Amino acid sequence: MIVPADAGGIRRAAALLRAGSVVAFPTETVYGLGADAFSEKAVAEVYRLKNRPSWNPLIVHVPDVAAARGLAREWPEVADRLAAAFWPGPLTLVVERAPHLTQVGADTGTIAVRVPAHPVALRLLEACGLPLAAPSANRSEGISPTTAEHVLRSLPDVPLVLDGGPASWGIESTVLDVTGPVPRLLRPGALGLREIREVTGKVLLPEDVADGSARPSPGMSKRHYAPRATVVLTDEVDLALVDGTVGVLTYETADVPGAEILSADPREYAADLYAALHRLDDAGVATILVKSPPDTEEWLAIRDRLGRAAA
Ligand code: AMP
Ligand code: MG
């Protein structure tokens, strides 16, 4: 059931979370499926509803830096600077996990944490008083939800969805591993690399694993973020291929009826991307031709998601 994210809705959601149930709620990135991060039963329900593979660990959402520190064995100095610069916001930090904590989903010895910037997410964290594990509120491998309606379409059995309107970023958080001497990007996301480098200096990219010591991010499977339709990335959309079974997603003017034309600005493009993929799926096309975005760092997260949608 979808309920408005007003005081009454947040009270109901917090009560469900405290009782070990799950609740979907808005964040500034995408909608999350929240559960008490240290309740085995609640976390198991998240994996079951999403059909998420057990090896893919969950991000834990906390209300402030102090709460994040409390989950860490070691809180590196660079984590402090990143948190001061970007929290609340779409940056997830992977740190060594405090020894008293049980695993959150799959066991890695580390924990991924962030402070979300959405007022509803923050009010919910405060109201329930729990750290919340909250992966995107969709079936595993599917398109992430950017509205409350998207959540129910993908996960009809979620007992409660707090409706806070469309997610403003529309793309998942950037995941950065700060357990090593140099921060390492595990997943490109809403927060850009340029902004991160201004705080940290050098950042290793997922492909920089030459010494073999780096832990890969377990969740970065090849196929992910995928609509039902087959996604085909192309430098030029061939209009001769377009008919009722073929949809088009581009960021340029296209003289194609039903084409989804997104902004040529990466931030605005990201905000609309998943909703556009949902609409193309709803239109029943079998194939979606996607014009490849520019191969520049600003488009890194979008290119990552489109590449996985097409895999
Ligand atoms: P999702 O919750 O679906 O947005 O995905 C969370 C992402 O964070 C996935 O790519 C996970 O593999 C990654 N992640 C979560 N916890 C950890 C961790 N402890 N170490 C490395 N990556 C993690
Ligand atoms: Mg997800």
Side-chain angles (χ1 to χ4, degrees):
M1 171 193 333
I2 296 180
V3 305
D6 54 16
I10 288 179
R11 258 198 315 276
R12 277 175 65 185
L16 282 168
L17 290 166
R18 278 196 304 265
S21 185
V22 299
V23 162
F25 64 95
T27 81
E28 79 280 28
T29 59
V30 300
Y31 273 66
L33 181 61
D36 175 353
F38 300 106
S39 155
E40 217 173 290
K41 168 184 161 236
V43 168
E45 182 66 356
V46 167
Y47 279 84
R48 189 187 71 81
L49 281 171
K50 281 181 61 75
N51 194 29
R52 184 175 175 109
S54 60
W55 41 259
N56 191 1
L58 305 176
I59 295 173
V60 179
H61 295 66
V62 291
D64 51 40
V65 187
R69 258 177 190 281
L71 305 178
R73 175 199 294 272
E74 255 178 81
W75 189 250
E77 184 266 339
V78 70
D80 259 341
R81 282 187 283 126
L82 286 163
F86 302 119
W87 282 359
L91 174 67
T92 296
L93 296 177
V94 171
V95 293
E96 304 286 350
R97 192 181 65 227
H100 69 280
L101 296 174
T102 50
Q103 65 179 65
V104 182
D107 198 1
T108 52
T110 57
I111 190 163
V113 279
R114 84 175 186 103
V115 178
H118 199 291
V120 171
L122 289 169
R123 287 212 299 274
L124 182 63
L125 284 164
E126 193 191 336
C128 70
L130 300 165
L132 295 178
S136 54
N138 56 278
R139 296 277 290 179
S140 195
E141 295 193 354
I143 317 169
S144 298
T146 56
T147 66
E149 289 74 25
H150 292 160
V151 174
L152 270 200
R153 243 185 292 167
S154 186
L155 300 176
D157 297 334
V158 171
L160 190 142
V161 185
L162 281 177
D163 189 353
S168 62
W169 280 96
I171 195 161
E172 298 78 5
S173 64
T174 303
V175 181
L176 193 70
D177 181 339
V178 290
T179 59
V182 181
R184 196 164 67 90
L185 182 68
L186 296 181
R187 174 177 76 181
L191 183 66
L193 271 177
R194 189 168 49 79
E195 287 83 354
I196 294 174
R197 282 200 203 94
E198 281 170 12
V199 172
T200 64
K202 188 172 163 61
V203 172
L204 296 174
L205 300 183
E207 54 268 28
D208 300 334
V209 287
D211 68 355
S213 67
R215 266 182 289 253
S217 188
M220 297 309 279
S221 54
K222 202 158 158 26
R223 184 176 166 81
H224 207 139
Y225 313 106
R228 271 193 307 276
T230 302
V231 172
V232 178
L233 278 163
T234 167
D235 288 332
E236 267 334 303
V237 174
D238 181 354
L239 296 184
L241 296 175
V242 179
D243 61 23
T245 68
V246 179
V248 171
L249 176 67
T250 178
Y251 54 91
E252 286 175 339
T253 49
D255 196 12
V256 181
E260 289 286 345
I261 304 170
L262 304 186
S263 170
D265 170 75
R267 165 101 204 237
E268 290 173 15
Y269 183 110
D272 292 338
L273 172 61
Y274 292 146
L277 290 174
H278 276 110
R279 282 192 295 272
L280 287 161
D281 256 355
D282 292 345
V285 297
T287 306
I288 302 173
L289 297 178
V290 178
K291 180 170 169 71
S292 295
D295 190 6
T296 60
E297 211 170 88
E298 307 173 83
W299 289 87
L300 187 66
I302 292 165
R303 290 177 63 90
D304 172 80
R305 301 307 186 270
L306 289 173
R308 289 175 209 282

